[in-house]
Amino acid sequence: MNKTIWSLLAVILLLVVMVIVSATTGSIKVGGFELIQGLVTGANKKVEVIRDLRLPRIIVALFVGAALAVSGVLLQAVMRSSLADAGVIGISSGAGFVSILMVSLFPSLFFWLPFFAFMGGALACFLVYSFSWKSGLSPIRIILVGIAINAMFTGLGQSFNYRGSYAVTSVNQATTSTFPLKTWSDVEVMLIYGTAGLVLSLLLCSWCNVLALQDKSARNVGLPVARARLLISAVAVLLAAVATAIGGLIAFVGLLVPPIARLLVGSDHKVLIPFSALAGALLILTADTLGRTVLAPAEIPASIIMMVIGGPFLIFLLRKSDRVHGH
């Protein structure tokens, strides 16, 4: 219990520190006290720029990280595999592709982007789950099928980049993971859909715990297994889709955060989900802050940083999975 409490306190403290660091560093630098004073009084021109440009970026990065991490936790509970991640198994790329397709065909429906992203993510999740099921779910089969689905939707999405229409140019932000020029309207969308998804995930945490059992045992304790998998998957897709629609394609967040969270706070989803949300927010905000400051004025997208970190971690999980299954 002490380890859990200290881990929660540590991630909260690190998150607060990173928010302050991210808000006060960059092309415009201000002190922490100057930032707070400027936000309260509205009399500081530099702080006004930070409020209009940098704060929406920070908030979006926080919610994108939290949404992707919790989405990973939920998918891993449903598929019983630590390799399940929205970016790796194609849910994010499916969300991005359907968004591009629908807005290309119907440019006037651009503001329905989160809904289209959800439909694309749901389609990708259904395909992965269907093709991976063969007398049960194999972690290796999930990742191989997921990589194939991811490649298919990524290729289809990239093919739209050459059409050159304004709608495609605009929606292309949903297929790249850069946070500049995020506005308070993006924050509003992220707050509405992201908060709804996170709250729903907390309401489903008991079902996630029971799904750790075999299906027969879960049914014996009264869990409607098929309905539970469907609802949990829907919430996971919602979180991944809105993160993709607003923040772009970012892989490996749901792969990195949940295993580390389980080591620190255990496997009880009542604690695991909120801790993963905080840790995911910290991870993406840190990646975005490093990306815009290390080589300033040039920027490194957060997705590239996550690929550099997540690729080796995926190899580690695959090797660990092989050892566990005796291959």
Side-chain angles (χ1 to χ4, degrees):
M1 180 61 69
N2 288 335
K3 182 181 179 182
T4 298
I5 293 174
W6 281 112
S7 297
L8 283 167
L9 291 176
V11 75
I12 291 171
L13 177 62
L14 289 172
L15 188 58
V16 171
V17 171
M18 184 50 62
V19 168
I20 295 172
V21 170
S22 183
T24 56
T25 58
S27 56
I28 299 176
K29 295 181 174 63
V30 296
F33 178 76
E34 182 183 359
L35 175 64
I36 295 173
Q37 186 180 44
L39 290 174
V40 173
T41 63
N44 190 316
K45 295 296 183 182
K46 291 194 296 184
V47 173
E48 286 184 14
V49 175
I50 290 174
R51 181 193 62 202
D52 293 335
L53 297 180
R54 195 176 295 169
L55 289 186
R57 176 175 184 162
I58 291 171
I59 296 172
V60 167
L62 290 172
F63 269 87
V64 166
L68 290 175
V70 173
S71 176
V73 172
L74 298 179
L75 290 171
Q76 288 165 23
V78 169
M79 298 185 177
R80 295 199 188 103
S81 171
S82 60
L83 301 174
D85 168 64
V88 174
I89 66 174
I91 292 175
S92 295
S93 59
F97 166 68
V98 173
S99 299
I100 292 175
L101 175 64
M102 296 306 294
V103 175
S104 298
L105 296 175
F106 309 103
S108 61
L109 301 180
F110 181 78
F111 292 101
W112 286 83
L113 195 63
F115 174 74
F116 296 142
F118 174 79
M119 297 304 295
L123 173 62
C125 184
F126 172 77
L127 292 174
V128 171
Y129 194 84
S130 299
F131 292 130
S132 299
W133 183 268
K134 187 179 180 182
S135 301
L137 289 172
S138 164
I140 302 300
R141 197 181 301 122
I142 288 173
I143 196 67
L144 291 177
V145 171
I147 288 173
I149 298 297
N150 185 39
M152 178 184 71
F153 280 122
T154 299
L156 289 171
Q158 289 297 323
S159 67
F160 277 80
N161 292 341
Y162 297 97
R163 296 186 57 182
S165 70
Y166 173 76
V168 173
T169 303
S170 300
V171 81
N172 191 47
Q173 294 179 15
T175 62
T176 56
S177 61
T178 53
F179 292 109
L181 303 179
K182 294 302 174 187
T183 65
W184 287 106
S185 62
D186 294 315
V187 172
E188 183 179 356
V189 173
M190 206 62 228
L191 283 173
I192 294 171
Y193 292 98
T195 301
L198 293 172
V199 171
L200 288 172
S201 68
L202 289 173
L203 296 176
L204 295 171
C205 60
S206 297
W207 282 7
C208 292
N209 286 336
V210 179
L211 281 177
L213 305 172
Q214 294 297 320
D215 285 0
K216 184 176 180 180
S217 300
R219 290 190 185 96
N220 288 338
V221 298
L223 179 70
V225 174
R227 189 191 311 167
R229 279 207 173 98
L230 179 62
L231 290 176
I232 294 170
S233 297
V235 175
V237 169
L238 171 64
L239 288 167
V242 69
T244 301
I246 303 301
L249 289 175
I250 305 177
F252 298 118
V253 180
L255 200 71
L256 279 164
V257 174
I260 297 172
R262 289 188 185 94
L263 290 175
L264 295 174
V265 300
S267 298
D268 185 354
H269 286 78
K270 293 178 182 178
V271 181
L272 181 62
I273 287 176
F275 182 86
S276 296
L278 294 170
L282 175 63
L283 178 63
I284 292 301
L285 181 60
T286 302
D288 183 55
T289 303
L290 289 174
R292 68 178 175 82
T293 56
V294 170
L295 296 179
E299 290 197 12
I300 305 173
S303 62
I304 294 179
I305 295 176
M306 292 306 304
M307 287 178 184
V308 171
I309 300 172
F313 196 78
L314 175 58
I315 295 172
F316 167 77
L317 288 179
L318 286 168
R319 290 179 62 86
K320 182 180 177 182
S321 177
D322 283 345
R323 290 197 297 270
V324 169
H325 292 84
H327 298 313

